[in-house]
Amino acid sequence: MLQKKNAVLVDGVVLNGPITDSKAGEKFVEEACKIIMEEVIQKANDVTEKVCEWRAPETLKTILDLEMRDTGESHQKLLQLCQDVIQYSVKTSHPRFFNQLYAGMDYYSLVARFITEALNPSVYTYEVSPVFLLVEEAVIKKMIEFIGWKEGDGIFNPGGSVSNIYAMNLARYKFCPEIKEKGLSGLPRLVLFASEECHYSMKKAASFLGIGTENIYFIKTDERGKMIPEELEKQVQRARKEGSAPFLVCATAGTTVLGAFDPLDKIANICEKHGLWLHVDASWGGSALISKKHCKLLHGIHRADSVAWNPHKMLMAGIQCCALLVKDNSGLLKKCYSAKAAYLFQQDKFYDVSYDTGDKSIQCSRRPDAFKFWLMWKALGTAGLEERVNRALALARYLAEEIKKREGFQLLLEPEYANVCFWYIPPSLRKAEEGPEFWQKLHLVS
């Protein structure tokens, strides 16, 4: 820390010092970046490295020295801490890191994250974040094209779960706009529908919004995990007979376990018949829209009112990168979420204030997550992104065929997407007859 001469004092505080030593700070950033380059990026594809150098929590607490003290640590100690953090973290870019929904490193997306972290913008008004707001607009427009809408709206937010909360609240606002001012009192019992295989965020959203998890009617699925439209029709009619107010159907395009795609066209028919908002949680499966070969998995998605799509999964845009896309282009998002904060969203600015998109977000400060997707898309082109999808699904097909040949492994069902579901059968059970006892023992193994 340095202190300037001729210090200005107010209440004992030096206003023009002490200040951070910028040269020392720049040197620290340079050395830390060197560690990141050597220990993370250059080792990303090295199969001889460990995916994770596992330590028990209590052991790791002593290694990392997590305590915050009254005085700052030396740069050398901080650099060692950076090294330790990398060493004992899970290497998600490692070739043998197998997460359910994401893995790998995209270099262009990574550089985009470096840029946004260094610039530290907040995407709410054009005056404070001009480039990133234009980037988000361009990316949303392109994603809307792939869904098949002629126009639309959207916003990037922190995760597919948040996108689903956004969509549920937006559907409710469309159904009864007075809820924004008057709240839940006086409303009928609102009911929504989702498949038995839907993402658990539907329960969280219903709980968070005061709808209640008991007011989600979970629709039966077929043997592949797809929502059965006839069952949906029955449940909508049941809800109406009970005097409830159905307002939303949440379909899933790419369930988290089986990778199932609900029959969107048939579900859309039911939604149109009963005047229900159709939201498609395509957080996992939405990227198939990029592939000419596999986009048929989402046939009918253009009939949805809203779509959640996470480029940070299949397309490797880097966590977090999630969009909620809305067919309505009349400003419904802004009407639903706007609080008209006068200190931020003045209407008499010297530019087109429609670019101040922060008023259609439930957040104030918001990260420029679209930028990492945009830079990656610019680098690879649509053809490169399509190849990523096609390769992932080809690898899934290859794995499924290999499992069929391997003794002790049993394929659960032919993969429709990148999810490959199988059982490992231990030697002691391989000749046993399948029945309750067999499955009970197998569940203990798996």
Side-chain angles (χ1 to χ4, degrees), residues 416-430:
E416 184 175 36
Y417 195 47
N419 306 51
V420 181
C421 301
F422 61 89
W423 291 104
Y424 168 68
I425 315 294
S428 61
L429 293 175
R430 285 176 194 171

Side-chain angles (χ1 to χ4, degrees), residues 33 124 175 186 214 219 222 227 242 261 268 283 288 310 324 371 373 389 411 425 443:
C33 284
Y124 42 64
F175 182 75
E214 290 184 1
I219 311 302
D222 63 19
M227 185 192 294
E242 291 172 348
F261 287 73
S283 298
N310 294 2
L324 173 71
F371 182 63
F373 188 26
V389 176
L411 189 68
I425 315 294
H443 288 157

Side-chain angles (χ1 to χ4, degrees), residues 246-419:
F247 74 103
L248 168 68
V249 174
C250 296
T252 309
T255 58
T256 50
V257 178
L258 298 178
F261 287 73
D262 289 339
L264 302 180
D265 229 10
K266 292 180 179 178
I267 292 171
N269 288 340
I270 296 169
C271 289
E272 284 184 11
K273 176 182 173 183
H274 294 283
L276 305 175
W277 182 286
L278 174 56
H279 171 63
V280 178
D281 178 10
S283 298
W284 175 219
S287 295
L289 289 168
I290 299 283
S291 168
K292 299 182 194 75
K293 183 176 182 181
H294 299 292
C295 63
K296 61 181 181 292
L297 290 168
L298 296 108
H299 177 69
I301 195 170
H302 66 284
R303 301 176 65 188
D305 295 289
S306 58
V307 173
W309 178 357
N310 294 2
H312 73 221
K313 292 178 177 173
M314 177 68 72
L315 296 179
M316 300 168 59
I319 291 175
Q320 59 203 31
C321 189
C322 313
L324 173 71
L325 306 158
V326 182
K327 184 186 285 185
D328 183 284
N329 199 33
S330 68
L332 188 66
L333 266 173
K334 188 172 182 179
K335 290 171 192 171
C336 180
Y337 293 110
S338 171
K340 298 179 181 178
Y343 77 98
L344 270 181
F345 306 115
Q346 304 93 345
Q347 298 304 296
D348 59 350
K349 293 180 181 178
F350 55 89
Y351 58 85
D352 181 355
V353 294
S354 68
Y355 287 99
D356 289 355
T357 61
D359 221 12
K360 62 184 184 184
S361 166
I362 58 174
Q363 301 167 253
C364 181
S365 300
R366 193 165 63 88
R367 297 168 60 91
D369 291 324
F371 182 63
K372 66 192 82 168
F373 188 26
W374 176 82
L375 191 61
M376 184 180 77
W377 203 332
K378 292 286 282 185
L380 302 177
T382 303
L385 297 180
E386 181 179 19
E387 173 58 26
R388 224 163 242 193
V389 176
N390 291 344
R391 176 180 169 81
L393 270 63
L395 283 168
R397 167 52 53 199
Y398 174 79
L399 177 60
E401 293 303 318
E402 289 299 306
I403 286 171
K404 292 176 188 177
K405 303 173 191 174
R406 188 71 60 94
E407 184 184 3
F409 288 82
Q410 181 178 319
L411 189 68
L412 188 63
L413 74 173
E414 295 293 335
E416 184 175 36
Y417 195 47
N419 306 51

Side-chain angles (χ1 to χ4, degrees), residues 110-354:
L110 181 61
V111 168
R113 282 183 278 172
F114 287 162
I115 291 170
T116 55
E117 290 299 320
L119 288 173
N120 196 33
S122 185
V123 187
Y124 42 64
T125 62
Y126 181 82
E127 61 199 312
V128 77
S129 197
V131 174
F132 298 120
L133 275 166
L134 294 182
V135 163
E136 184 173 56
E137 179 188 58
V139 171
I140 286 171
K141 183 180 178 182
K142 199 70 177 174
M143 294 174 83
I144 283 170
E145 284 179 22
F146 277 96
I147 290 172
W149 297 335
K150 291 180 180 178
E151 57 183 13
D153 197 1
I155 194 163
F156 275 74
N157 52 67
S161 295
V162 175
S163 292
N164 291 334
I165 292 173
Y166 263 92
M168 194 177 292
N169 191 50
L170 194 63
R172 183 174 65 175
Y173 174 77
K174 178 75 173 179
F175 182 75
C176 45
E178 66 275 12
I179 192 173
K180 184 173 179 179
E181 285 78 32
K182 296 182 179 179
L184 297 171
S185 59
L187 284 179
R189 179 190 173 212
L190 296 177
V191 167
L192 65 107
F193 308 88
S195 90
E196 293 174 331
E197 296 290 326
C198 73
H199 192 259
Y200 66 85
S201 60
M202 295 304 168
K203 285 185 177 179
K204 289 196 172 190
S207 171
F208 181 76
L209 294 171
I211 293 169
T213 56
E214 290 184 1
N215 294 318
I216 306 175
Y217 286 28
F218 292 103
I219 311 302
K220 291 179 183 177
T221 57
D222 63 19
E223 68 282 354
R224 292 198 62 90
K226 299 171 184 286
M227 185 192 294
I228 301 171
E230 295 77 12
E231 293 294 328
L232 172 62
E233 175 68 36
K234 287 178 188 176
Q235 293 301 319
V236 173
Q237 291 182 8
R238 172 193 154 202
R240 291 208 188 280
K241 286 177 183 176
E242 291 172 348
S244 301
F247 74 103
L248 168 68
V249 174
C250 296
T252 309
T255 58
T256 50
V257 178
L258 298 178
F261 287 73
D262 289 339
L264 302 180
D265 229 10
K266 292 180 179 178
I267 292 171
N269 288 340
I270 296 169
C271 289
E272 284 184 11
K273 176 182 173 183
H274 294 283
L276 305 175
W277 182 286
L278 174 56
H279 171 63
V280 178
D281 178 10
S283 298
W284 175 219
S287 295
L289 289 168
I290 299 283
S291 168
K292 299 182 194 75
K293 183 176 182 181
H294 299 292
C295 63
K296 61 181 181 292
L297 290 168
L298 296 108
H299 177 69
I301 195 170
H302 66 284
R303 301 176 65 188
D305 295 289
S306 58
V307 173
W309 178 357
N310 294 2
H312 73 221
K313 292 178 177 173
M314 177 68 72
L315 296 179
M316 300 168 59
I319 291 175
Q320 59 203 31
C321 189
C322 313
L324 173 71
L325 306 158
V326 182
K327 184 186 285 185
D328 183 284
N329 199 33
S330 68
L332 188 66
L333 266 173
K334 188 172 182 179
K335 290 171 192 171
C336 180
Y337 293 110
S338 171
K340 298 179 181 178
Y343 77 98
L344 270 181
F345 306 115
Q346 304 93 345
Q347 298 304 296
D348 59 350
K349 293 180 181 178
F350 55 89
Y351 58 85
D352 181 355
V353 294
S354 68

